[in-house]
Amino acid sequence: MFLFRATLAFAMRSQYEGEEFQVSNIIVCDETPRVSFWFVVTSPNTSRLVDKEAVERAVRQYRNRINGAFLLTDTYLEFIGIPPTLAAPVNPGTPPWLIVFGVVMGAVVAGIIVLTVSTVVQKKRKKNKKTESEDNEEETRVKTVENGAACENTCGVFNMSFSDDERLTQM
């Protein structure tokens, strides 16, 4: 019972900042074995009772501290005449939709970057293959062309009739 009286004295001290409430100012009456009781609060300087509304305000304001002292919740520690307090809703620092939006946008941007880089790499590979194949074509042309005319023996490697090479076409 001392712990309850001490936490209530603290709540009253915090409510009335100028007055020093002690444990002796909290009077517990009609205590039963089932821990049911009622209490009154007296003023520290005089033996006058403190108003019910002031005690209710102090209990309502410091209810979490009183419940925490006994490791109880509002369902187990009930103050008759004082409705239980509702915990404030938890507001996260960033809204959940913003986190999801950021993840989706990050995935989209990463996909665009991957596609762009892969196309650039493929174009470079194609360009390198074209230069190698052009070198091979030049070698084939050199092999099949002698003295500005196509060889009789072309071996089916290169058809000069569809060539865009102007040195072979005479006008």
Side-chain angles (χ1 to χ4, degrees), residues 126 128-138 140:
K126 269 188 176 180
N128 289 341
K129 283 183 180 178
K130 279 186 180 180
T131 56
E132 288 176 8
S133 65
E134 285 176 2
D135 291 341
N136 290 340
E137 285 178 12
E138 286 294 325
T140 342

Side-chain angles (χ1 to χ4, degrees), residues 1 11 15 34 55 64 71 153 162:
M1 194 49 63
Q15 186 70 24
R34 266 185 81 87
V55 174
N64 285 341
L71 299 175
N153 207 358
F162 296 106

Side-chain angles (χ1 to χ4, degrees), residues 44-56:
N45 300 334
T46 63
S47 59
R48 203 180 84 215
L49 295 178
V50 178
D51 293 339
K52 180 182 175 183
E53 291 80 23
V55 174
E56 283 181 1

Side-chain angles (χ1 to χ4, degrees), residues 53-113:
E53 291 80 23
V55 174
E56 283 181 1
R57 262 186 283 131
V59 168
R60 202 174 288 123
Q61 186 173 4
Y62 291 96
R63 190 163 199 154
N64 285 341
R65 188 177 190 103
I66 295 169
N67 286 346
F70 298 104
L71 299 175
L72 297 173
T73 61
D74 284 337
T75 57
Y76 297 111
L77 183 60
E78 181 181 1
F79 291 93
I80 297 175
I82 303 173
T85 56
L86 298 175
V90 177
N91 292 330
T94 55
W97 68 266
L98 187 60
I99 295 170
V100 172
F101 178 76
V103 169
V104 169
M105 287 306 293
V108 167
V109 168
I112 290 172
I113 290 173

